[in-house]
Structures are given as C-alpha cells and as structure tokens.
C-alpha cells in the first residue's frame, strides 16, 4: 500500500491509479477476474462468474477448467493450507509459463450452495478437472492425498481438448455410437458387482472411508466377520453415475451379495437389528471367518467344516477368475493407475499408457484375500501382475523384455496398428 502511495505521490497524473484502487482492494464481492490473479475467486452464488457457471456446463470459453471447493473451517483447504498451496502454485506456474489455457476456480463451498449442489459437492476439499466441453475427466472428494491434485492436473493438461458438436451434428452420433459404450459400461458394472460374493460400493476404502455412511457400512461387515470386496466410487465417475441407473439406487454405499443388490446403509442397519444379524439375514453362515482368518468351525460337525473350507476355496477361485477376465487387459497392482503405491507398479502403468490401450486395474493393497490368493492361483509370488485375455503375462521384468522385443505391442493390440 505504501508503494502505491509513493507512486501516486511522484506521478503527475495519478487519477487512473486512484480509479483502479477500489478494484484492487475491494474484494468482498469481486469475482477476481483480474489479469493480476490467475485464480477466479467465487465467494457466493451472486457474482458474474458463478452465474455463468450455473447457466452452462462450463464457462462458455471452451477452456479446460479446475474447480476447487473449499471451506474456511477446513485448514488444509483454507488459504495457505496444503491443498490451497498446491492449487495456487499450479495456477501461478501456468500463468508464468504461458502454457495450457486452463481456468482455475476457487469456490467457497458453503457460501455458493447452488454451485456446490450442481456439482454434488458433499465434502471439502472437492476438485473437479473438466475438459473444454465441460466433461469431468477426474474428481477428488475429500481426503488428504494432496499428490492427487498434481496427478490429475497433469492428466487434464495432456487430455485432448474436445468441443461440443452442434445439434445437427450431435443427433446422428447419438443414434450410431451411444449403444456400444452403454453396453460396455453395463458389462463392466456386472463384472464389478460379481467380483466378490459380498461387494460394497463405497466412498473411499475400508482403511480410509471418505464419508460417515461408508464408514458405518464397513464397520457392520467387519463386525460380522465376513470377507468382502470393495470399490471406491470416488475414483471412477463413470461407475459412480452408471451404478445409480443400473441398480435404480441413487445413493452410496451400496451392498451386493451374490450379484444382487441388498441396499444401502439403512437396509443394512435393519438387518443387523434382526435375529442373527447380517450373517443370518443374508445366509452367509458358510463364509464367517474365525479370528485367525479361517472359516468358522462347528464343534460337532468336522465334515461340515471341510465342506465349508472347500466352498470358500472354490468361491475364491471363482472370484479370481472373474477378476482376471474383467477386462481384456487386466493389471493387478499396488495402488491405482492414477496413484501407484510402488515403483514397479508405476513403471508398468507408464508402459501400458504409452501404448494407448484400454485396460483395467485392481488394487491388491485393499483386498488381502485377492493379494494372497492370486499368488497361489497363478503361481507368481510378486506384484504387479499383468493378464491379457485371462492369461498371465508376468510381472514388470517380463513386460519390459516384451516391450523391448516388440512383442508387447502385438499382444496388447492384437496385432493391430
């Protein structure tokens, strides 16, 4: 402020600077569309920027964009917090480098309820990474993994820009091309639902739930002492939205048993209160685990114990076969492709991405049953493991050798260029 006053004092024509001062200092209702700040601040639903974003799916400029929803009571997302610092740094770096034309929006979530509701914001921080046509290519809902912000930013930078076709162009594409992707999504959802006898679609993971409802669902299943699989719907927007339509159930978590929808947390609570709890209501007596990880034993029927063990082994084998065949190219790794948890998994993801092929991945760190069972099933003791058309290719060393020889490209693409 002193510097500006000094400049005004020495400037024989200070009128222009004086007129600009209200725009520099009066930030209460300012949308921060100034060239000085690379971040567009949205502090309520009434500003020009907020109004335009509520009217259309993007800001109308055809630019890629990142939305950062924050709250002043949440220290990591508030000014100078971890998430805010990363977001500000990325915006500043882009402005200084003159690189990708990405717009950065910082939204005070609770003061902009209409905008928050439009984007289903239920936690802070929430990040949306949007392509130029307004489609969300990545999303972060809550959590503490700051590294995901930079990873998804890189994904957005490298994503091909798309433009919405005119209505006259759009109609033929819908009739000719919409059905196959929908069929593919339906097949994927069926595969996910049946990938485990007991399957929970939740926000977050069992070790790190991202909402209270998901946490309670995990606690109920854990206390019932049954083995179950999970899928983090926050990591896959396509599955998150598609499953709502597929099962006609609008909320999460969702519990499936033997491929059939049981319901959400309210249904689970009702079953827990019934006689025998979840195990009895869902007829899961044969799948109850002992504290040492084995199946429950009947003190009077050793033959039944043997049958139960056989049933459990057969169920695990069926589950592994289903997982391996969930996609033509299937990777079992530590972490997920956007956030690998070990160097070997990161390298094999980079190799697959370099070929531009479609593949699916399973995080073995979130399912100890699959992690241990797959070692024995495939007679391969380490991870990552790559499968193509249901057959084991091998680990990172084998994949690297095949990449160098040119055999990997033929295998992944089926010999197609």
């Amino acid at each position: 402020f002193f510097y500006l006053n000094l400049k005004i004092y020495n400037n024989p024509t200070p009128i222009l600077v004086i007129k600009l001062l209200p725009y520099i200092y009066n930030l209460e209702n300012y949308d921060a569309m100034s060239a000085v700040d690379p971040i567009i601040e949205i502090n309520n639903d009434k500003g020009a920027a907020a109004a335009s974003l509520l009217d259309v799916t993007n800001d109308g400029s055809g630019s890629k964009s990142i939305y950062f929803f924050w709250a002043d009571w949440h220290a990591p997302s508030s000014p100078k917090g971890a998430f805010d610092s990363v977001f500000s740094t990325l915006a500043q770096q882009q402005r200084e480098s003159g690189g990708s034309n990405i717009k950065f929006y910082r939204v005070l979530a609770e003061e902009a309820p209409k905008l928050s509701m439009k984007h289903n914001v239920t936690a802070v921080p929430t990040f949306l990474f949007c392509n130029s046509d307004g489609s969300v290519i990545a999303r972060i809902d809550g959590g503490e993994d700051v590294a995901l912000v930079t990873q998804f930013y890189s994904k957005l930078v490298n994503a091909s820009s798309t433009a919405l076709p005119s209505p006259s162009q759009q109609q033929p594409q819908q009739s000719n091309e919409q059905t196959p992707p929908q069929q593919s999504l339906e097949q994927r959802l069926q595969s996910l639902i049946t990938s485990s006898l007991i399957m929970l679609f939740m926000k977050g993971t069992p070790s790190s739930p991202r909402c209270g409802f998901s946490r309670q669902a995990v606690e109920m299943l854990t206390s019932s002492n049954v083995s179950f699989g999970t899928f983090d719907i926050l990591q896959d927007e396509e599955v998150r939205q598609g499953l709502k339509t597929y099962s006609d159930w609008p909320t999460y978590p969702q519990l499936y048993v033997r491929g059939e929808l049981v319901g959400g947390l309210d249904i689970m609570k009702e079953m827990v209160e019934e006689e025998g709890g979840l195990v009895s209501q869902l007829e899961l007596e044969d799948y109850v685990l002992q504290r040492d990880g084995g199946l429950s034993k009947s003190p009077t029927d050793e033959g039944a114990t043997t049958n139960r063990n056989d049933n459990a082994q057969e169920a695990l084998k069926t589950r592994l076969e289903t997982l391996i065949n969930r996609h033509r190219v299937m990777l079992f790794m530590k972490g997920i492709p956007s956030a690998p948890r070990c160097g070997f998994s990161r390298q094999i993801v980079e190799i697959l991405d370099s070929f531009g092929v479609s593949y699916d991945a399973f995080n073995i760190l979130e399912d100890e049953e699959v992690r241990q069972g797959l070692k024995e099933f495939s007679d391969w003791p380490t991870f990552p493991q790559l499968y193509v058309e249901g057959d084991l290719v091998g680990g990172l060393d084998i994949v690297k050798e095949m990449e160098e020889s040119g055999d990997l490209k033929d295998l992944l693409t089926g010999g197609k260029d």
Side-chain angles (χ1 to χ4, degrees):
F1 185 79
F2 173 79
Y3 174 75
L4 284 173
N5 277 335
L6 181 64
K7 296 294 287 184
I8 293 171
Y9 179 82
N10 291 329
N11 193 331
T13 56
I15 298 175
L16 178 61
V17 179
I18 293 173
K19 287 184 176 180
L20 287 174
L21 283 176
Y23 294 97
I24 297 173
Y25 290 101
N26 184 17
L27 299 179
E28 183 176 356
N29 294 312
Y30 182 48
D31 281 331
M33 288 184 173
S34 167
V36 174
D37 192 346
I39 298 175
I40 300 171
E41 299 282 359
I42 299 179
N43 296 323
N44 52 55
D45 283 326
K46 300 177 182 178
S52 66
L53 293 175
L54 286 168
D55 287 340
V56 292
T57 54
N58 57 28
D59 65 348
S61 65
S63 299
K64 296 176 181 178
S65 55
I66 303 175
Y67 300 84
F68 169 30
F69 291 83
W70 67 285
D72 52 11
W73 50 263
H74 184 253
S77 68
S78 59
K80 296 186 179 180
F83 285 99
D84 180 78
S85 297
V86 171
F87 183 74
S88 300
T89 300
L90 292 174
Q92 190 68 26
Q93 286 178 349
Q94 178 189 254
R95 191 187 71 166
E96 292 173 355
S97 65
S100 301
N101 184 25
I102 296 176
K103 292 205 169 187
F104 290 77
Y105 296 90
R106 182 159 45 202
V107 185
L108 191 55
E110 294 179 344
E111 299 300 322
K114 292 181 181 178
L115 198 56
S116 297
M117 288 177 63
K118 176 182 177 181
H119 294 289
N120 297 318
V121 175
T122 59
V124 289
T126 290
F127 287 86
L128 303 177
F129 300 81
C130 303
N131 212 333
S132 53
D133 64 347
S135 61
V136 179
I137 67 172
R139 181 182 178 116
I140 301 172
D141 290 82
E144 302 175 355
D145 194 348
V146 180
L148 282 178
V149 178
T150 54
Q151 291 169 8
F152 288 158
Y153 171 76
S154 298
K155 182 178 180 180
L156 179 62
V157 170
N158 296 324
S160 299
S161 295
T162 57
L164 287 172
S166 64
S168 60
Q169 294 173 319
Q170 200 170 11
Q171 191 64 33
Q173 291 179 351
Q174 287 180 340
S175 59
N176 293 333
E177 298 181 7
Q178 191 174 10
T179 303
Q182 187 65 34
Q183 290 176 342
S184 177
L185 174 59
E186 185 172 323
Q187 292 170 357
R188 185 179 177 211
L189 293 175
Q190 289 175 343
S191 180
L192 284 171
I193 289 170
T194 58
S195 62
S196 178
L197 177 78
I198 306 170
M199 191 68 187
L200 180 68
F201 290 83
M202 60 179 290
K203 293 181 179 180
T205 63
S207 60
S208 182
R210 296 283 185 89
C211 80
F213 299 137
S214 293
R215 178 179 289 108
Q216 292 180 61
V218 168
E219 290 173 352
M220 288 181 190
L221 291 172
T222 302
S223 63
S224 297
N225 223 21
V226 292
S227 176
F228 59 97
T230 65
F231 186 90
D232 182 2
I233 52 100
L234 298 181
Q235 298 294 334
D236 196 314
E237 189 66 16
E238 184 183 45
V239 170
R240 181 180 187 174
Q241 300 302 331
L243 197 58
K244 293 179 182 179
T245 303
Y246 178 88
S247 297
D248 194 21
W249 195 272
T251 59
Y252 291 97
Q254 293 183 17
L255 178 66
Y256 294 78
V257 174
R258 299 180 181 90
E260 299 292 334
L261 174 66
V262 175
L265 182 64
D266 51 348
I267 303 297
M268 293 176 67
K269 283 182 174 180
E270 290 179 5
M271 289 186 169
V272 168
E273 294 172 358
E274 295 293 330
E275 184 178 355
L278 278 175
V279 172
S280 176
Q281 296 299 312
L282 297 174
E283 299 180 352
L284 297 173
E285 290 86 353
D286 288 346
Y287 303 96
V288 176
L289 302 175
Q290 287 185 316
R291 294 300 178 187
D292 62 1
L295 290 171
S296 58
K297 293 183 179 180
S298 167
T300 59
D301 194 348
E302 292 298 327
T305 300
T306 302
N307 289 334
R308 288 176 179 176
N309 278 309
D310 290 342
N311 289 340
Q313 291 296 324
E314 190 62 31
L316 176 58
K317 180 181 177 182
T318 301
R319 185 185 175 201
L320 293 175
E321 289 175 342
T322 301
L323 283 172
I324 288 169
N325 289 280
R326 193 166 81 183
H327 197 282
R328 181 179 176 275
V329 181
M330 190 69 193
L331 176 64
F332 292 83
M333 61 181 289
K334 294 181 179 180
I336 58 178
S338 61
R341 297 286 184 87
C342 79
F344 299 133
S345 292
R346 179 177 291 105
Q347 290 181 62
I348 202 166
V349 164
E350 290 173 351
I351 291 173
L352 291 175
D353 288 344
S354 70
F355 287 100
V357 297
S358 173
Y359 67 95
D360 199 356
F362 185 91
N363 181 9
I364 53 98
L365 296 180
E366 298 296 343
D367 196 314
E368 191 65 20
E369 182 184 49
V370 171
R371 182 178 186 175
Q372 300 303 328
L374 198 58
K375 293 179 182 179
E376 183 177 349
F377 180 87
S378 298
D379 195 21
W380 194 271
T382 60
F383 292 95
Q385 294 182 16
L386 180 66
Y387 294 77
V388 175
E389 295 183 348
D391 294 325
L392 175 67
V393 176
L396 179 62
D397 52 349
I398 302 296
V399 170
K400 279 186 170 180
E401 289 178 6
M402 295 184 67
E403 180 189 26
E404 293 172 358
S405 67
D407 293 335
L408 184 60
K409 180 180 179 181
D410 292 337
L411 180 64
L412 295 177
T413 63
K416 300 177 181 177
D417 292 328

